[in-house]
Amino acid sequence: MREVEVSAFVPASPAVVKRALTPETVVDYEGSFQVRQVDSTDDGWTVTAGARGLTMRLDFEEREDGLYYRQRGEEGPFDAMETEVAVDAADEGSRVTMRSTVSLGLPVPALSDRVAAWKRRGELRRALDALAEDV
């Protein structure tokens, strides 16, 4: 598994940023998958998303400082993927940090997990850019 972290300043209060960070918008902001369905669960939400014949489910939980989500089982592009989104007050705005661990689960993990981390880092950067534009 590889860990990637991306952080950005967003010129909006933590309350505004947290309201904008819903399970649906996070998936939309990342830009790789389209949300097909969002279901409430006892623990949070499950987002079913898809792209180019691939479907995955992401289980989301609300946290005090943001969100946590993980790919359910092997129903997606990764063998395993989990992400934390933390929102903290900073300089009359917010510092949003997205930290994700990913694994492709292929026979050469040093190379395949590096590729997965590279792809994931791009998704997280895209998400933070879209969030900053949205709020």
Side-chain angles (χ1 to χ4, degrees):
M1 290 194 96
R2 291 275 182 149
E3 182 174 300
V4 296
E5 181 177 310
V6 176
S7 183
F9 175 77
V10 177
S13 71
V16 169
V17 171
K18 286 179 185 177
R19 278 195 301 272
L21 289 172
T22 67
E24 184 172 9
T25 61
V26 168
V27 174
D28 285 340
Y29 290 161
E30 287 181 6
S32 294
F33 290 86
Q34 293 181 344
V35 174
R36 294 187 176 153
Q37 185 173 329
V38 179
D39 296 307
S40 291
T41 68
D42 290 340
D43 298 321
W45 306 268
T46 297
V47 174
T48 304
R52 291 178 241 138
L54 182 64
T55 299
M56 72 172 173
R57 290 196 182 110
L58 298 167
D59 293 321
F60 279 79
E61 299 172 17
E62 191 169 23
R63 300 266 172 101
E64 186 176 318
D65 64 346
L67 292 170
Y68 165 83
Y69 59 104
R70 64 179 171 75
Q71 177 184 293
R72 183 183 294 175
E74 297 176 8
E75 297 180 19
F78 302 110
D79 179 54
M81 185 277 295
E82 59 184 52
T83 303
E84 296 176 40
V85 183
V87 180
D88 296 301
D91 299 324
E92 298 183 29
S94 301
R95 170 69 48 192
V96 182
T97 303
M98 297 182 81
R99 182 176 300 114
S100 192
T101 55
V102 294
S103 173
L104 284 178
L106 296 176
V108 185
L111 176 61
S112 63
D113 287 355
R114 185 177 304 152
V115 170
W118 171 79
K119 180 181 181 345
R120 191 70 182 131
R121 180 176 283 112
E123 290 172 335
L124 299 180
R125 284 186 179 136
R126 195 167 41 241
L128 291 178
D129 290 345
L131 171 65
E133 288 179 25
D134 200 26
V135 294

